[in-house]
Amino acid sequence: MKKKPGVMIYFDMRRMVKLLTDEEKGKLFEAILDYGETGCTGELTDTLRIIWPLIQNRLDTDSFQYDKKVVKKTYAAYTRWASEHREPVMSYAQWL
């Protein structure tokens, strides 16, 4: 699977982030980047552990949607290649 180029930060997260200290904001930002890249967050403080599930859910949803788009675009590239080379094209279900 293609590596994702990054993660989205949404404006509606600001309500939670405003309640954090500057140090916690930095740790949260690092946790978001770490989770987006490796799937791990490292150690989170008590406050961050409370809000993390909300942010993690958003990151997971985005990641799932991204992965679906990558698969669809890869299949589209395959069908173009097969057509150009006069090869039989598998259905999407067979190709998966």
Side-chain angles (χ1 to χ4, degrees), residues 75 78-84 86-92 94-95:
Y75 177 72
Y78 154 74
T79 59
R80 281 191 305 275
W81 179 90
S83 295
E84 290 169 3
R86 298 185 186 347
E87 296 284 334
V89 176
M90 289 185 278
S91 71
Y92 184 73
Q94 290 173 318
W95 180 79

Side-chain angles (χ1 to χ4, degrees), residues 8-29 32 44-59:
M8 292 289 295
I9 305 291
Y10 294 93
F11 293 126
D12 64 357
M13 292 178 184
R14 183 177 289 170
R15 291 184 314 234
M16 292 181 287
V17 172
K18 278 186 173 184
L19 302 172
L20 304 175
T21 66
D22 287 345
E23 182 181 351
E24 289 172 325
K25 289 174 186 176
K27 287 180 180 181
L28 177 63
F29 184 67
I32 289 170
L44 298 175
T45 63
D46 289 340
T47 305
L48 296 181
R49 277 197 300 256
I50 292 168
I51 66 171
W52 180 252
L54 301 170
I55 292 171
Q56 181 183 20
N57 184 56
R58 196 72 173 268
L59 296 173

Side-chain angles (χ1 to χ4, degrees), residues 15-16 27 32 37 40 62-63 69 73 85-86:
R15 291 184 314 234
M16 292 181 287
K27 287 180 180 181
I32 289 170
E37 191 170 25
C40 298
D62 288 350
S63 183
K69 286 179 184 178
K73 288 181 179 189
H85 291 85
R86 298 185 186 347

Side-chain angles (χ1 to χ4, degrees), residues 1-7 32-39 62-63 66-67 69-71 74:
M1 187 64 57
K2 183 179 175 185
K3 188 173 180 177
K4 292 181 284 294
V7 296
I32 289 170
L33 293 176
D34 289 344
Y35 188 74
E37 191 170 25
T38 67
D62 288 350
S63 183
Y66 178 82
D67 290 345
K69 286 179 184 178
V70 168
V71 170
T74 303

